[in-house]
Amino acid sequence: MSKSCIHFLFAILSTVLLTGCASASMGNVPSDFQFLLNAQSKKEGTEHFYIEINARGKGYFERYDTNGSISYDENDIIIVEKSQVIEKGSFQLADEEMEELWKIIEENNFFQLKEDYQMAIGFSYAFIIVEANGKKHQVDNIGMEVSEIRTIVEKADELLPTKVGIEYGDGY
């Protein structure tokens, strides 16, 4: 094989490899990143938001009314009945916003948090699942203040569209 043919094949292979790597993830955000958040609405009452965001920043939300009662399935995942959903929508986070979200998750050691922070009474509420780097971790927080969870929820609220207003609430 001639030198020019080898150079040509090397150039094609390099381009394919670089293009593939660039599309696999956005900066430091893992290519398998998935973020699920269920949190209180900023509105008074029993409204909550269910939010999903993937590694490319594509997001989906449902605003729903719990009527004062939250149901879980056998895997401790919150169940939202279709009749409870008030509004649905989608959004797109920019690369920089995705970097901020991932950074706050890492800085607050999300994957090292306990899975269950609950008290019978209180206002603080967040249910979070994060998948990244081949790991999946879930945290359910009701009724007690957990500063790391508060920080993640507040950063998510800052990044989400204004019509999706979530809050962590204040514990007793």
Side-chain angles (χ1 to χ4, degrees):
M1 207 183 291
S2 72
K3 275 187 172 182
S4 61
C5 190
I6 291 172
H7 286 273
F8 176 74
L9 288 174
F10 180 75
I12 290 175
L13 181 60
S14 297
T15 302
V16 168
L17 288 174
L18 289 173
T19 303
C21 291
S23 64
S25 68
M26 298 186 322
N28 293 322
V29 178
S31 61
D32 63 341
F33 178 81
Q34 292 285 323
F35 180 77
L36 182 150
L37 170 63
N38 204 309
Q40 295 171 197
S41 170
K42 286 184 177 178
K43 291 184 177 184
E44 293 282 328
T46 57
E47 289 185 10
H48 289 72
F49 277 96
Y50 168 85
I51 299 156
E52 292 180 9
I53 304 171
N54 70 21
R56 293 177 309 285
K58 184 166 176 53
Y60 170 81
F61 75 88
E62 290 182 349
R63 183 171 55 95
Y64 66 97
D65 193 334
T66 66
N67 296 315
S69 176
I70 296 174
S71 301
Y72 294 87
D73 69 10
E74 65 277 356
N75 298 312
D76 293 326
I77 307 294
I78 295 168
I79 299 170
V80 177
E81 301 294 332
K82 288 183 181 186
S83 62
Q84 294 175 291
V85 177
I86 299 166
E87 177 184 13
K88 296 179 181 183
S90 60
F91 57 90
Q92 179 69 47
L93 296 182
D95 293 355
E96 300 79 28
E97 293 169 320
M98 289 299 296
E99 292 278 345
E100 287 180 52
L101 181 59
W102 177 242
K103 181 180 176 186
I104 211 76
I105 289 167
E106 286 188 302
E107 286 176 352
N108 285 278
N109 300 307
F110 180 80
F111 287 93
Q112 284 73 50
L113 295 175
K114 295 188 315 183
E115 288 186 13
D116 191 17
Y117 296 94
Q118 294 190 29
M119 288 175 44
I121 299 175
F123 295 120
S124 303
Y125 167 75
F127 178 85
I128 303 172
I129 298 176
V130 176
E131 290 185 53
N133 297 319
K135 296 186 283 185
K136 180 178 181 178
H137 189 63
Q138 169 180 319
V139 173
D140 197 358
N141 176 215
I142 298 175
M144 62 187 299
E145 174 81 21
V146 180
S147 62
E148 295 89 349
I149 299 299
R150 174 182 286 281
T151 302
I152 293 168
V153 171
E154 288 176 350
K155 176 52 77 175
D157 180 55
E158 179 185 312
L159 298 173
L160 293 169
T162 55
K163 67 180 171 181
V164 181
I166 57 173
E167 68 178 353
Y168 182 67
D170 294 317
Y172 283 129

